[in-house]
Amino acid sequence: MDCNYNTPNGKGKIRKFHPSQLDVGIINEDSILKHDTAHNTKNIESAYNMGRYFIQESIMQTEANIGPMLETFQRTEITEHHIYKRLARTIKSSENAKILQQIADDELKHYEGWKKYSGQDVRPDWFKMWFYYLVSRILGFTFGIKLMERGEEAAQKNYAAVAATIPEAARFQHEEDIHEQQLIGMLDEERLQYAGSVVLGLNDALVELTGALAGLTLALQNGKLIALSGLITGIAASMSMAASEYLSTRSEETSKHPVRAAIYTGIAYIVTVTLLVLPYLLFEN
């Protein structure tokens, strides 16, 4: 007759043995426990070796690609160093110039840190440097810097991939994500304060002059006359809008200067008028 003999087998199951097996000493509880322990130890060692193998493979792949990655990191850092350095020289505000120079110094330190591991010098991306520099000069350095940092986010994600090989990568990423963002957040630019005045001029010029030019085109059928009439209408309207913005800003409790707000609105209006009239001067028909 069979009987149940409960033994732990590592899987929470019950093993059945015949009484004769226990009587004749074919198997006993100690031998079963030793067998299960050896089996579990073997499984643990196998899982450990497999995990170590995958980790080593990942490290080897990272080390194989680390050369090009370091070169990319270096080029990004030295390019941004030159951008911030050039902008710091052109900014009139001494406070903003100091902030930009500090960011430039940090970028140069990061470049030297990557150079210590790559062992080679990398030239900056001059096209990207001039592009961001001109954008910052035309649209404002705050806009240019924000645009540049947004494009850098993709490159910073690769810092974590080399952190296992280069311990300083984590510190570089921390400084890029936090320290520089705090510095950029401190930037204060006059153009941002008067952005509403600029948008007002652009919007009014598009709405008013587009309708006027459409009517003049149907009535006159002459490009030069249409352009001249559009310019006269646009300049008169820009003066009117500038005066309205001056009175509006003066009556509000704001830090904006009324005269400057009026100038920004008038200039934005005239620029829009010029762009709308330009096709009538360039094309005869």
Side-chain angles (χ1 to χ4, degrees), residues 47-116:
Y48 171 77
N49 292 331
M50 185 176 295
R52 186 172 63 178
Y53 169 77
F54 285 117
I55 292 175
Q56 290 177 347
E57 284 291 322
S58 177
I59 294 175
M60 290 176 62
Q61 291 179 359
T62 302
E63 291 178 349
N65 299 328
I66 200 170
M69 293 174 68
L70 288 178
E71 183 178 348
T72 302
F73 295 158
Q74 283 184 263
R75 181 170 288 106
T76 301
E77 302 292 356
I78 195 62
T79 300
E80 293 185 351
H81 164 72
H82 285 285
I83 296 173
Y84 290 128
K85 187 177 180 179
R86 288 178 181 273
L87 289 175
R89 295 175 181 174
T90 59
I91 298 302
K92 296 180 180 179
S93 173
S94 59
E95 182 179 355
N96 286 337
K98 184 178 179 181
I99 294 174
L100 291 175
Q101 186 60 48
Q102 184 176 352
I103 298 177
D105 294 340
D106 289 340
E107 299 291 350
L108 184 60
K109 290 179 182 178
H110 295 166
Y111 169 79
E112 295 294 340
W114 294 120
K115 179 182 176 181
K116 182 172 62 177

Side-chain angles (χ1 to χ4, degrees), residues 143-163:
F143 178 83
I145 291 174
K146 290 289 186 180
L147 180 65
M148 182 171 55
E149 290 297 323
R150 186 176 182 180
E152 188 188 3
E153 291 178 358
Q156 292 179 7
K157 293 180 181 180
N158 294 325
Y159 283 14
V162 300

Side-chain angles (χ1 to χ4, degrees), residues 195-245:
S197 301
V198 174
V199 172
L200 177 64
L202 293 173
N203 183 59
D204 253 48
L206 287 172
V207 173
E208 295 177 2
L209 198 67
T210 302
L213 289 175
L216 291 171
T217 302
L218 294 175
L220 300 178
Q221 299 289 323
N222 187 302
K224 298 291 179 65
L225 291 177
I226 295 171
L228 180 61
S229 302
L231 284 174
I232 294 173
T233 305
I235 292 173
S238 67
M239 293 180 180
S240 174
M241 282 303 303
S244 299
E245 180 66 8

Side-chain angles (χ1 to χ4, degrees), residues 184-198:
I184 293 173
M186 294 169 59
L187 293 174
D188 183 21
E189 191 174 10
E190 179 182 291
R191 298 181 196 181
L192 296 179
Q193 298 179 5
Y194 296 95
S197 301
V198 174

